[in-house]
Amino acid sequence: MDGATNELRLVLSTPPPNWQPPLGTAPNNPIAILHASLEHVRDNGDERYLFLRTILEVLHSRGFLNDSASSAAPLSGEEEQLLFHCVTGLRHVILFRWDSFHSSLRTCVRDFLLNVGLGLSFIDSGVGPSGVVCLPRTVAMACLSGAASLWKRGWVAGNDSDGVQESEEQSYVEKMTRNAIPHMQRIGKGEDLFVYLNSLLLAPFEEAMQQHQQQQLIYQKRYIGTMSASFLSLLVGEFTGGNSSARYNLPVEFHRSCHRVFENGNHGDQSGLDATLHLSMTALSSLVGYVLNNTSSNTLQDQSLMEFGTCIINVTFDVLSWEFGAGSNKWDFSSGANVSAKDSGRGGVLLRPPQKWREVLIRPDFLGAVFHVYTAVRIGVAGGNSLDSTVMQKRGRMSHQLRQLLLQLASIAQGPIFTDQNERGAYAGFLLDGCLNVLETVLTEQQQHQDQLTADSMIWECRSTEIVDLVTMLSRITSNFRTKLLSQLATFQRFLSALCAIGKWLLESSVTECHQAGGDFGSMEGADWKNDAIAQILQCSEAMAGDYWLAGGSDSQEAKAACESLAVSLAPLYGVHCACRVRMASLEEHYLVREHAELDEAREEISATALEEEMAAAASLGRFNILASMKALSEMFHECMPRLKTLFGSAGVGGELNAEMAALLEEARMLIVCACHLLTDECEGETPAIPESVIHACQAGGSPHHEACTASIFGFINVLKSIAEDQALKATVHPEDPRLSPLLAKTLLWFFNRWGAAYVFPSFEEYRDDFGGILATWSKPESSQPMISFFTTLCLIYFCHWPQEKEVVLESTSLLLALGKKGPSVRDLLVADASFEKIVALHSVCAYLRHNVCQSEISAAMARIGGGLSMDMVKGYQRLPYNDRAKVLTGLIVCCSDMTNEKGTTMLNSCLQSIETPFFTVMQALVKKEARSQNIDVQESACLSILLYSGVVLASEMSDPERIPYFLSPSMPHLSGLMIYYAEDLTICESLLKLFRDYAERYLPMLTRDQCIILFSASTSLLKSYSEHHCKSRAIVKTSNSVEDFEEEQSYNDVLCAIQLLIQLGTKDFIDLCNTSKGVDSNQITDVIFFGLQQILPLMTQGLLRFPKLCTHYFTLVGFMVETYPKNLCSLPLELFDSLLDSLLFGMSHSDSLVSKSSLHGLAGLAQEHLKTHSLSNHLSAKPNIIENCTRRLLLEVIFQPIIWDRVEPAGMALLPLAAIDVHKFVE
């Protein structure tokens, strides 16, 4: 053994043979050489047993082995690092060369590592942690981890069989190892391991005879118990499947088998998981009893006890986190995808332990005892300042782990472990009582000792994590046990009151801190954890509000009583939440304007999204008591409105927007956001509807205060109308004044968009109850017409006076479109409205007016159209960006689309004719060469026409949309013909491709045969002209910045549109419609698609394929073509075929499984076609290694990768025909 350490050091300081340093690393870098040499020794099997011999030599020289004559001495940093690498290297060598070692040597090494890691190698000799040096924790944990890995490797029957006959060399090494610890504990089977560990875990709680011996012995036993618990956690982690599991050099079936046997046992034996649970719960019970029986300050300041207790709790936590069932596809060992409940974030996390765990887990008395222990261990405000920092840190860690364990126990809510609902209720009641007791203690301490807490103290840090964990536990209990069960508990009212109290304190303290920080959110130290806690409280509210037992309108007395409790005890938190959040937003805006500070775009977007989510969640609070919530909002609005109207009245005075003005505008905006979330739901992709809780609160049978509730909503809408009217009227006079705040106007329009779509002329088919209350308020023409007129007037004003405020214009067009989709009743009211008629006239006048036209052209257009328009209105509307004009046109078409309304039909025809006539005029001038295509005015007119036609295409939600193809078909050849004149202009090309793509996507199912033929012919001409100018000599430039990547992807949007158009042309419905005796032959369509694909293929380099949208659509097109027309692809010219093949090989290892599967299907299709027809013979004669290269890359980049579960089948289907092409070469 002598000299092993020096020999290993020499080896590790010498570069391995043929070693090349990594790029950017000096050739003589000692760290790089060390790691390379370590890897070399491991990979070559450590034939001289340097790892094991060095471990024995270093431990012996430092007194950490029983046979050493001296006391233990501290390891140097170099020795600690060396031992760590030796232990991990020894583990690696044995696991990777398992069958090369005799079973007795493997067992000996396993037991040796366990004894050293547990501390038995030096504590048994009288050397221990009572003031004497221990092994560094990194080394000890490495030994325990190695022992756990070796136990797992031999756990399943048959895995521990002898692979070789015992050699003299191995016998000598084994004897040397055993002699190092003469009294080394030898363990045979897994049952023996758990019996032995159980004795170590319970030993610290046994009584000693003499006081002096007791203290030293207990300290030593606690250390061993701590390391034993750590070993159990590592053992469970190995069988669970963590990052280390991929380093066994074994297939996933081995890990599944180990997981299954450890969970279920083998041949009737007790499972390892059950044994671990029994050990951990027994030790935990002993710990709980010990702490409750020894509550003196000395006991609670004992660091060894705190550390021992934390490790016991960790084991219990790890066992409860076990994911039952080894047959699922959750074995992503390389990336750690098997996430435990420890890492699961928010929401209801359900654990479903087996019934056999019932006697261990479902013990309400034990739950109560755990809470008592937590109360004793947690750091209180009163006595916390007197604790040593190390003691405080260890108690804080143990408290945190106890809370995590209780969170796990709160996740056991369903399954066979409960016999009936009464038992579930009792279990939930104990959890809820314990949690509320602690939470009320926290609130009491906060009130009594607030002056003792500072943001930088350790007590404050412990308090913050404690509050977050406690409210998370309440959230989990609410989500898992549901409102029906919780409402039957005696503590339900107390639970709601506690939620409301802690929420108020968190919100009010946040406002106080924001005041102290002067509105600077960045300097608020407690903002993050308070926001997390508030989010959990709101999640509680959402879980109860979304419970079908309540939301479904149950008529049971229990449900009504629960609703009443929620309205009385929890709903008041909504007003506090709104007031505090509005105040904080106002303070932040005041700070930003005062300091001339600006948030970066990314942070601002994240903040806005988080705020939207929080407000939506807070709305569930307010809906428990709509009347009280509306009253709270109305009071805040009535306090804000006089100041806001005064601010609007000062518009035109001059001067810049100061901090006080900005804070007021932000306050008003936030109040509108709160009201919008309270009264409406996000209905993207759905029919807008009034929330059930609002309907119920306003119905005669739903609430005794239904009339007051309806009146409050009606009055609130009138207040908002008044604000919007004042702002809009001032904008007509002083559009540039910053006091008028386009952001506030945008928020008002957003509110009216969501509110109007649901409340104005509600669709009674969406509601199951009577149609009184709020449903009847705006359900008739006489009550709805004023609102419709108000909406259209707002839109008219903003189109004409704020045309450059993009967000305002966007919300205005969205409002028009939302009203148009409401149905014929609303569309009739729109068509009859004077303001809407002016918007139609404005479109007709400005349809062909460029931004740079002179006033005489504007006057001439006004004279032709009429409509009672003023010059200022027309000039304002004419300044709208062309894209926004197209969006307005989309809304107008939808609003005028009722065929039964003559006035609407006339307006629709006027809108469409105002586009068609100028476009044909421009085209005729270009054809007759009366106008030059490069003339800037002609070019701008062409752009305007294309965008307006795109606006027509996007109106597919109109009534009777089949009229759009009848209008567009005559123009399609002319639109395609524009490419002849503007093929070099990428902007116009992209606009045309988008137009054709959208037309094909939206109207293909309703096209007639003749319309399909027109579309095909026009698309063919368009794609040919586009490819000639933009596909042959285009360079792909790589960027390294994510923002630049996004911008660059937008610059290739034309390629994406072309691919999407080709996909649409290849659909079966389109081919079937065109493929008639008098139509277009299907081969012609195929030829066009192949032509387009050939033009795009040279662009599809890896640089371009890294863009997600482009990549996905490209492989969708290629997958379709290979599956449908493989022969055509095989006959591509060699250069193009190489491009196709390179893209398929790139895509098969793509992270997106859809892209990967499409690529693999493409490879399989090409190989299968060659097997049938030898269609690749010409290519193979020029490049014989095509198939070999594909097969090799498929094996290396896909099949031999550790994680391929999402593409196993397509990879096999691709490999089979590739191998069949030349079986002999494949075998070689």
Side-chain angles (χ1 to χ4, degrees):
M1 185 171 70
D2 293 340
T5 306
N6 292 330
E7 183 180 351
L8 180 60
R9 284 175 174 149
L10 179 62
V11 169
L12 296 182
S13 61
T14 305
N18 302 320
W19 176 72
Q20 295 294 329
L23 292 176
T25 305
N28 57 351
N29 187 297
I31 297 178
I33 294 174
L34 170 68
H35 287 286
S37 300
L38 271 173
E39 185 176 355
H40 179 72
V41 174
R42 288 200 307 262
D43 293 344
N44 285 276
D46 187 20
E47 297 175 354
R48 292 183 52 78
Y49 300 94
L50 289 176
F51 289 142
L52 180 58
R53 290 165 54 206
T54 300
I55 294 171
L56 294 171
E57 186 175 306
V58 173
L59 291 179
H60 180 272
S61 65
R62 290 298 183 177
F64 285 102
L65 297 179
N66 291 146
D67 64 341
S68 57
S70 58
S71 300
L75 295 175
S76 66
E78 189 271 339
E79 287 175 326
E80 180 181 348
Q81 182 183 24
L82 182 65
L83 273 182
F84 176 81
H85 287 305
C86 285
V87 172
T88 55
L90 177 62
R91 170 191 178 278
H92 178 91
V93 169
I94 295 179
L95 289 178
F96 270 62
R97 298 174 178 264
W98 184 263
D99 294 331
S100 301
F101 299 97
H102 194 269
S103 61
S104 62
L105 176 59
R106 298 193 301 252
T107 303
C108 177
V109 172
R110 182 194 68 191
D111 293 342
F112 170 77
L113 290 177
L114 180 61
N115 277 262
V116 172
L118 294 178
L120 296 172
S121 63
F122 52 89
I123 288 181
D124 283 351
S125 62
V127 181
S130 54
V132 185
V133 177
C134 298
L135 269 180
R137 185 169 179 81
T138 54
V139 177
M141 293 302 291
C143 291
L144 294 179
S145 178
S149 299
L150 297 179
W151 268 106
K152 176 182 176 178
R153 183 61 178 83
W155 194 268
V156 179
N159 285 345
D160 201 28
S161 59
D162 287 337
V164 294
Q165 293 183 351
E166 188 172 9
S167 65
E168 293 184 4
E169 188 178 35
Q170 290 192 12
S171 298
Y172 174 76
V173 172
E174 179 182 346
K175 181 179 179 181
M176 180 174 58
T177 305
R178 293 194 185 280
N179 290 338
I181 310 178
H183 304 291
M184 181 171 64
Q185 182 68 36
R186 301 182 182 183
I187 305 171
K189 298 182 179 180
E191 294 86 347
D192 302 330
L193 173 68
F194 292 116
V195 171
Y196 179 59
L197 290 175
N198 188 49
S199 66
L200 297 180
L201 288 171
L202 297 181
F205 303 112
E206 298 173 352
E207 295 184 1
M209 294 182 62
Q210 298 182 9
Q211 185 70 20
H212 174 71
Q213 293 178 346
Q214 181 185 11
Q215 291 299 321
Q216 183 171 356
L217 186 61
I218 285 179
Y219 201 92
Q220 293 174 357
K221 289 184 176 181
R222 280 180 186 166
Y223 176 82
I224 296 174
T226 299
M227 302 311 292
S228 300
S230 300
F231 171 72
L232 274 175
S233 291
L234 291 170
L235 186 66
V236 173
E238 287 295 327
F239 284 97
T240 298
N243 291 338
S244 63
S245 297
R247 300 197 293 268
Y248 280 76
N249 197 31
L250 288 169
V252 72
E253 286 74 16
F254 162 78
H255 301 289
R256 288 180 174 172
S257 175
C258 289
H259 187 284
R260 182 173 58 254
V261 173
F262 191 77
E263 177 185 321
N264 302 317
N266 196 14
H267 303 299
D269 297 336
Q270 183 186 25
S271 73
L273 187 63
D274 293 344
T276 307
L277 176 68
H278 176 76
L279 261 66
S280 63
M281 292 300 288
T282 302
L284 185 60
S285 298
S286 300
L287 172 69
V288 168
Y290 182 85
V291 173
L292 293 180
N293 293 327
N294 299 272
T295 55
S296 64
S297 59
N298 291 334
T299 301
L300 296 178
Q301 294 185 29
D302 191 329
Q303 298 182 30
S304 65
L305 177 63
M306 296 297 107
E307 191 168 353
F308 181 37
T310 301
C311 291
I312 291 175
I313 297 166
N314 279 339
V315 178
T316 312
F317 184 91
D318 292 336
V319 175
L320 291 178
S321 301
W322 183 268
E323 193 164 352
F324 288 90
S328 60
N329 292 327
K330 298 178 180 178
W331 293 84
D332 187 349
F333 299 120
S334 65
S335 62
N338 192 18
V339 181
S340 70
K342 181 188 301 185
D343 301 318
S344 59
R346 300 158 50 185
V349 179
L350 281 176
L351 298 181
R352 297 177 181 271
Q355 190 173 12
K356 59 186 177 182
W357 287 12
R358 168 183 164 76
E359 294 182 359
V360 180
L361 296 179
I362 308 304
R363 295 166 53 190
D365 58 332
F366 177 71
L367 282 177
V370 172
F371 273 109
H372 283 305
V373 170
Y374 176 75
T375 303
V377 173
R378 67 178 292 272
I379 302 172
V381 179
N385 291 322
S386 62
L387 294 176
D388 177 79
S389 60
T390 306
V391 174
M392 188 182 298
Q393 186 178 20
K394 291 186 180 296
R395 280 181 62 175
R397 187 181 299 118
M398 183 174 175
S399 301
H400 177 72
Q401 288 306 115
L402 275 171
R403 293 195 300 270
Q404 295 304 305
L405 175 62
L406 290 168
L407 271 170
Q408 286 289 73
L409 294 173
S411 301
I412 304 173
Q414 296 181 18
I417 199 166
F418 294 106
T419 57
D420 53 35
Q421 286 295 101
N422 292 331
E423 192 171 62
R424 286 185 71 233
Y427 184 81
F430 274 95
L431 283 169
L432 197 58
D433 285 344
C435 187
L436 292 177
N437 289 336
V438 179
L439 195 58
E440 288 167 354
T441 301
V442 171
L443 288 172
T444 302
E445 290 179 346
Q446 182 63 33
Q447 295 172 358
Q448 296 177 353
H449 307 285
Q450 186 172 1
D451 56 333
Q452 299 181 26
L453 289 174
T454 57
D456 57 347
S457 67
M458 189 174 294
I459 299 178
W460 177 262
E461 183 179 350
C462 293
R463 179 55 39 82
S464 62
T465 57
E466 182 180 37
I467 291 174
V468 173
D469 287 343
L470 288 172
V471 294
T472 302
M473 193 182 306
L474 291 177
S475 174
R476 190 165 297 182
I477 292 171
T478 306
S479 300
N480 291 343
F481 289 96
R482 314 303 293 169
T483 311
K484 183 176 182 179
L485 187 146
L486 295 177
S487 65
Q488 297 170 6
L489 301 177
T491 53
F492 183 62
Q493 192 70 37
R494 180 184 168 206
F495 162 57
L496 299 180
S497 300
L499 271 183
C500 188
I502 192 68
K504 285 183 178 179
W505 173 72
L506 289 168
L507 289 164
E508 290 170 354
S509 61
S510 296
V511 173
T512 302
E513 187 178 2
C514 189
H515 269 290
Q516 294 172 349
D520 181 9
F521 275 28
S523 63
M524 293 173 59
E525 296 184 1
D528 291 338
W529 74 263
K530 288 178 182 178
N531 288 337
D532 290 341
I534 291 168
Q536 292 295 336
I537 295 173
L538 294 179
Q539 193 169 358
C540 272
S541 170
E542 280 189 300
M544 289 185 280
D547 195 324
Y548 184 76
W549 184 63
L550 295 179
S554 175
D555 295 329
S556 66
Q557 292 300 319
E558 293 83 359
K560 291 180 179 178
C563 288
E564 184 65 24
S565 297
L566 288 165
V568 172
S569 301
L570 189 57
L573 182 59
Y574 177 76
V576 178
H577 180 272
C578 290
C580 292
R581 286 308 191 209
V582 169
R583 182 59 182 153
M584 289 174 68
S586 176
L587 288 170
E588 183 185 28
E589 188 67 18
H590 188 280
Y591 165 78
L592 293 174
V593 175
R594 184 185 72 242
E595 301 297 327
H596 303 287
E598 290 186 5
L599 297 176
D600 60 87
E601 292 185 7
R603 180 184 168 192
E604 191 170 7
E605 184 176 354
I606 292 171
S607 177
T609 303
L611 180 64
E612 285 290 313
E613 293 176 353
E614 183 178 337
M615 289 302 177
S620 63
L621 275 174
R623 291 178 185 177
F624 289 136
N625 192 334
I626 294 291
L627 180 59
S629 301
M630 288 303 304
K631 182 179 179 181
L633 285 177
S634 297
E635 288 176 354
M636 286 186 274
F637 246 113
H638 283 297
E639 191 276 330
C640 171
M641 193 168 68
R643 294 181 289 132
L644 190 62
K645 290 200 171 188
T646 301
L647 179 62
F648 289 160
S650 64
V653 175
E656 295 184 355
L657 189 72
N658 60 36
E660 287 73 19
M661 297 176 184
L664 174 60
L665 290 170
E666 180 64 12
E667 180 182 343
R669 189 188 73 84
M670 284 294 298
L671 285 171
I672 297 169
V673 171
C674 294
C676 187
H677 284 292
L678 177 67
L679 296 177
T680 66
D681 288 323
E682 177 61 49
C683 296
E684 188 70 30
E686 303 175 4
T687 302
I690 303 173
E692 286 282 348
S693 54
V694 177
I695 296 174
H696 183 75
C698 296
Q699 280 181 343
S703 169
H705 310 291
H706 61 95
E707 292 182 354
C709 189
T710 304
S712 67
I713 296 175
F714 185 84
F716 187 82
I717 297 302
N718 286 335
V719 170
L720 290 185
K721 281 180 60 181
S722 174
I723 293 174
E725 285 174 355
D726 283 359
Q727 182 184 33
L729 290 174
K730 287 294 182 181
T732 61
V733 183
H734 307 290
E736 302 298 330
D737 198 300
R739 295 173 178 81
L740 298 179
S741 179
L743 179 59
L744 180 63
K746 177 248 184 185
T747 307
L748 280 164
L749 287 166
W750 169 72
F751 173 89
F752 288 128
N753 191 344
R754 284 179 48 159
W755 177 85
Y759 286 76
V760 177
F761 258 116
S763 174
F764 293 126
E765 297 176 357
E766 302 294 325
Y767 308 101
R768 60 187 177 188
D769 297 320
D770 62 272
F771 306 132
I774 198 67
L775 287 169
T777 306
W778 291 281
S779 63
K780 297 179 180 179
E782 53 271 21
S783 58
S784 296
Q785 182 62 57
M787 291 305 304
I788 298 294
S789 179
F790 166 72
F791 292 152
T792 55
T793 302
L794 273 186
C795 294
L796 176 64
I797 289 174
Y798 292 136
F799 289 154
C800 296
H801 297 280
W802 273 351
Q804 300 300 315
E805 296 293 344
K806 190 169 185 62
E807 295 294 326
V808 176
V809 173
L810 180 62
E811 288 296 337
S812 300
T813 55
S814 297
L815 177 58
L816 270 184
L817 187 60
L819 293 173
K821 293 190 289 186
K822 283 289 293 179
S825 299
V826 174
R827 288 196 285 267
D828 288 344
L829 294 177
L830 282 167
V831 168
D833 182 70
S835 295
F836 181 80
E837 193 171 352
K838 287 186 177 180
I839 297 175
V840 173
L842 283 169
H843 161 74
S844 300
V845 170
C846 299
Y848 65 93
L849 292 182
R850 304 178 309 278
H851 288 150
N852 61 347
V853 295
C854 60
Q855 186 164 336
S856 60
E857 292 184 63
I858 297 176
S859 301
M862 292 174 61
R864 285 194 301 270
I865 302 300
L869 303 175
S870 68
M871 178 63 72
D872 289 340
M873 293 174 66
V874 175
K875 282 186 174 181
Y877 190 91
Q878 179 229 354
R879 290 173 56 212
L880 276 173
Y882 296 153
N883 279 321
D884 292 333
R885 285 201 217 173
K887 292 173 183 174
V888 175
L889 175 59
T890 301
L892 294 178
I893 292 174
V894 174
C895 293
C896 301
S897 60
D898 269 347
M899 297 182 69
T900 56
N901 189 306
E902 293 184 5
K903 185 176 182 181
T905 303
T906 303
M907 288 181 173
L908 176 62
N909 292 335
S910 173
C911 289
L912 297 178
Q913 188 177 2
S914 64
I915 305 168
E916 189 178 46
T917 302
F919 172 65
F920 280 118
T921 301
V922 171
M923 282 303 301
Q924 188 176 9
L926 287 172
V927 171
K928 293 182 177 180
K929 298 184 179 180
E930 296 173 356
R932 294 175 57 252
S933 61
Q934 300 306 314
N935 182 281
I936 188 64
D937 292 339
V938 177
Q939 191 171 354
E940 192 170 347
S941 296
C943 286
L944 174 58
S945 295
I946 295 169
L947 291 173
L948 291 178
Y949 270 105
S950 298
V952 175
V953 169
L954 296 179
S956 56
E957 294 177 286
M958 66 181 290
S959 175
D960 302 304
E962 61 274 4
R963 288 178 287 175
I964 296 297
Y966 280 99
F967 166 74
L968 282 174
S969 291
S971 303
M972 296 301 286
H974 301 289
L975 286 166
S976 177
L978 276 176
M979 191 69 83
I980 299 173
Y981 304 99
Y982 298 106
E984 296 180 0
D985 190 320
L986 191 58
T987 302
I988 294 181
C989 287
E990 182 180 334
S991 299
L992 286 169
L993 288 168
K994 281 183 180 178
L995 170 61
F996 276 71
R997 176 204 63 189
D998 292 339
Y999 179 61
E1001 285 180 356
R1002 292 170 180 263
Y1003 298 95
L1004 191 60
M1006 61 186 76
L1007 294 181
T1008 64
R1009 180 183 62 83
D1010 292 338
Q1011 291 167 348
C1012 283
I1013 294 171
I1014 292 173
L1015 173 59
F1016 169 73
S1017 302
S1019 300
T1020 302
S1021 174
L1022 181 77
L1023 288 169
K1024 288 182 177 179
S1025 299
Y1026 164 74
S1027 63
E1028 288 176 2
H1029 291 83
H1030 296 286
C1031 290
K1032 293 184 178 179
S1033 59
R1034 197 161 176 184
I1036 308 297
V1037 182
K1038 280 194 174 184
T1039 60
S1040 57
N1041 183 282
S1042 59
V1043 176
E1044 293 176 357
D1045 278 352
F1046 174 77
E1047 293 175 352
E1048 186 185 349
E1049 185 173 15
Q1050 299 305 303
S1051 70
Y1052 292 105
N1053 205 31
D1054 57 307
V1055 181
L1056 175 62
C1057 292
I1059 292 173
Q1060 291 171 326
L1061 177 58
L1062 289 171
I1063 292 173
Q1064 293 299 322
L1065 295 179
T1067 58
K1068 183 178 183 301
D1069 290 342
F1070 184 80
I1071 293 176
D1072 289 345
L1073 279 168
C1074 289
N1075 190 20
T1076 62
S1077 57
K1078 297 182 180 179
V1080 178
D1081 187 74
S1082 61
N1083 289 331
Q1084 292 179 263
I1085 300 177
T1086 305
D1087 291 342
V1088 169
I1089 298 173
F1090 266 100
F1091 172 79
L1093 183 61
Q1094 289 179 34
Q1095 306 308 309
I1096 291 172
L1097 272 175
L1099 293 177
M1100 290 301 136
T1101 61
Q1102 293 187 18
L1104 198 58
L1105 287 174
R1106 76 180 188 278
F1107 298 131
K1109 282 187 178 180
L1110 277 169
C1111 186
T1112 302
H1113 284 89
Y1114 167 75
F1115 282 106
T1116 300
L1117 175 62
V1118 170
F1120 163 76
M1121 296 306 296
V1122 172
E1123 182 180 353
T1124 313
Y1125 309 106
K1127 187 175 181 180
N1128 301 62
L1129 284 177
C1130 290
S1131 61
L1132 286 172
L1134 180 59
E1135 185 178 353
L1136 290 177
F1137 182 80
D1138 276 346
S1139 298
L1140 173 66
L1141 200 58
D1142 285 343
S1143 65
L1144 292 175
L1145 293 174
F1146 167 81
M1148 68 183 181
S1149 58
H1150 199 275
S1151 58
D1152 188 327
S1153 60
L1154 178 63
V1155 170
S1156 173
K1157 290 176 182 178
S1158 298
S1159 303
L1160 291 167
H1161 285 312
L1163 281 177
L1166 295 176
Q1168 289 168 5
E1169 182 64 23
H1170 178 69
L1171 284 173
K1172 294 176 185 177
T1173 63
H1174 299 285
S1175 53
L1176 293 177
S1177 299
N1178 292 334
H1179 296 331
L1180 289 173
S1181 62
K1183 294 183 68 174
N1185 63 340
I1186 290 178
I1187 302 300
E1188 182 181 354
N1189 181 49
C1190 292
T1191 307
R1192 185 182 66 257
R1193 290 189 60 180
L1194 175 60
L1195 289 170
L1196 294 177
E1197 298 176 18
V1198 179
I1199 295 176
F1200 290 160
Q1201 293 300 308
I1203 307 303
I1204 63 163
W1205 311 118
D1206 57 349
R1207 59 200 70 177
V1208 171
E1209 184 177 351
M1213 297 301 293
L1215 181 62
L1216 183 62
L1218 285 171
I1221 292 175
D1222 193 338
V1223 177
H1224 298 293
K1225 184 175 291 187
F1226 177 76
V1227 172
E1228 293 174 0

